Structure formats: C-alpha cells, structure tokens
Amino acid sequence: MIHPTAIVAPQAKLDPTVEIGPYAVIDSGVQIGSRSIVGPYVYLTGQTIIGSRNRFLAGCVIGEAPQDLKYANAPTRLRIGDDNVFREHVTVHRSTKPDEETSVGSHNYLMANCHVGHNCRVGDHVIIANGALFGGYVRVADRAFISGNCLLHQFVRVGTLALMQGGSAISKDLPPYTVARGDNRICGLNTVGLCRAGFAGAERLELKRLYHALFRSGLNLRAAVAAASKNWNSIAAKAMFDFLAESTRGICADSARGAEPDN
C-alpha cells in the first residue's frame, strides 16, 4: 500500500489500510487513520493527527510550520477528522504554540490551491473553493461555503450556513445564513444552502424577516438586536443572536446601507 518511492518515517503511525502514492513524504509526528489515501508528492508533517477515509491529492502540504513570526520551531499540532478531501496543492498549517492546534472537522471539501492558516478551526461539511485564503485563527462553522479566491482576515468568524461569493473579502464576522458580497458586505440569505440543509419554507421566511429587522431596519446593530430579540426566539434566531453577541471584530454590513453599522 506504500509506493516504493515514498518516504515514510519509521515513527509515523499509519493504519494498515492507508495508501501512500509516489514521492509522498510522511514525517515522524504524523498519524493517519484507516482507508485514507495520500496521493503523489504530498507532504505530511508536524504533530498531525488524521482520521479515517481522508484523501490528499497531488502536491498537498499538510501540517507545515505556521507563517507566524512568533513561531519558535515548537512541535505544534494539526487535527483532521474523517471523510475530508484535500484537492491539489492545498496547504494547511499547524498551530503556533504547543498548547494550541489547527483543526479541520469532517466531511469537508477543500479545492485546489486553497490555504488554511495556523490556528484556524474549520467545522464539518464546509466547502472551500479554489484559491480561498484563510488567515490565522479564522473560525468557519458547519456547512459554510467559501467560494473561489475569497479572502478571510485573521481572527474573523464565519457562521453556520453562510456563503461567500467569489472574490469576496472579509475582515469582520460573517453572520450565520447570510451571503457575503464584495468587501465586508452581505446581501441577503443563503436560501439555497438553507433549503439543502432542510429548513422549511416557514423557517426560511422567519429568517428573512429577522435579516431585515437586524440589517435593514435603519437602526444601528446594537439597537436592532435589542428590538429583534423580543420578537424571535427560534433555534435559528438564537444562533444568530449568539453569533452577533460574541463578535469582537464587528459584523459585515448589508450592501444596501451606505455605511457600516455601529456595532
């Protein structure tokens, strides 16, 4: 199951069902779970723990040192769940400090040439399209969709079922269920994603009304949240309110407004 040209450190821990392609390099701190496939010219390094049924296509570099000037050559960590696909030349960096980790959940699809920086936390069922770039400490919740060539500034958060249109850039938090367009702007709900996730028509209508109350009411965001919280109490609404309350970087503004909201 290991190609004769591959280099696998004796200390690496590989399930017997793992397949290693030609010219792949697996360093000593790597652990790989069952039925995973490592393609040609893939480099796996660092203290990297990989679950089952993951696939790494040609040229991926997974677990390399962070691009962080504070990094001091410590043996830092990356943790990857199950059933992920890493397409050609994807890069995922490990954490900056030994007591931290970068993490990628399960059932994610990372397309060619995207980058996940140090200390990022990617949830489950996330799609990251070609050329998307995540700065350090970015958090992306379950079922988010990051389109091609999107830019995510360090420390930003992307809420569950949010979508970024191609070429979008955010340095503020992107709320759950919303669509990012341009720079730090949102333009409505991710209706297609909500349908695919099983949200009924009544639930989508409620979220649409909540969106208008929060982002198109003319109130600053703090006042809009205070008013809306009296009228919406569903699970989805609570997820939205919790996300907004936890923001430290500010929230992306609706594109119909001329100025960003007062957070």
Side-chain angles (χ1 to χ4, degrees):
M1 307 293 281
I2 300 177
H3 194 276
T5 62
I7 300 174
V8 179
Q11 300 89 344
K13 299 178 180 179
L14 277 59
D15 186 271
T17 60
V18 171
E19 298 180 25
I20 308 294
Y23 300 101
V25 177
I26 315 294
D27 278 346
S28 58
V30 175
Q31 302 178 37
I32 308 178
S34 63
R35 289 179 285 168
S36 293
I37 300 174
V38 179
Y41 298 98
V42 170
Y43 181 34
L44 304 180
T45 186
Q47 302 300 308
T48 297
I49 301 173
I50 299 168
S52 299
R53 299 175 303 279
N54 290 287
R55 187 178 180 191
F56 302 89
L57 276 74
C60 290
V61 178
I62 308 296
E64 185 55 280
Q67 296 175 137
D68 186 343
L69 296 178
K70 299 185 297 298
Y71 177 66
N73 295 316
T76 54
R77 300 197 306 274
L78 164 64
R79 186 180 302 274
I80 296 172
D82 304 324
D83 299 293
N84 299 291
V85 176
F86 299 80
R87 292 300 304 252
E88 300 86 343
H89 302 285
V90 168
T91 55
V92 182
H93 287 173
R94 63 184 187 262
S95 59
T96 297
K97 299 177 181 178
D99 58 345
E100 303 169 343
E101 69 177 21
T102 304
S103 66
V104 177
S106 298
H107 305 283
N108 300 300
Y109 198 100
L110 287 74
M111 298 185 192
N113 298 299
C114 69
H115 171 69
V116 177
H118 63 87
N119 296 85
C120 286
R121 287 160 49 182
V122 178
D124 301 331
H125 298 280
V126 174
I127 296 176
I128 307 173
N130 303 61
L133 303 177
F134 290 16
Y137 295 92
V138 166
R139 299 183 185 180
V140 180
D142 297 350
R143 296 186 180 276
F145 192 116
I146 312 300
S147 299
N149 295 318
C150 286
L151 305 177
L152 286 76
H153 192 277
Q154 61 187 18
F155 293 102
V156 300
R157 299 179 303 144
V158 175
T160 184
L161 282 165
L163 180 149
M164 294 184 67
Q165 293 184 354
S168 300
I170 58 172
S171 58
K172 295 188 175 185
D173 292 343
L174 176 62
Y177 321 120
T178 63
V179 175
R181 173 190 292 170
D183 295 350
N184 286 330
R185 297 292 178 180
I186 54 178
C187 60
L189 292 179
N190 178 17
T191 305
V192 173
L194 290 169
C195 289
R196 290 175 176 171
F199 280 68
E203 294 173 303
R204 299 196 303 273
L205 180 59
E206 180 192 42
L207 283 174
K208 181 177 180 180
R209 290 170 175 164
L210 176 60
Y211 181 94
H212 280 260
L214 291 173
F215 304 112
R216 293 181 180 173
S217 66
L219 301 173
N220 68 48
L221 187 58
R222 186 178 293 106
V225 169
S229 61
K230 301 174 183 177
N231 300 314
W232 280 273
N233 56 13
S234 67
I235 294 175
K238 185 178 185 303
M240 175 69 82
F241 292 138
D242 289 346
F243 184 93
L244 299 178
E246 293 168 4
S247 178
T248 59
R249 295 194 59 86
I251 302 295
C252 293
D254 184 82
S255 57
R257 297 190 61 175
E260 297 182 5
D262 178 8
N263 291 304

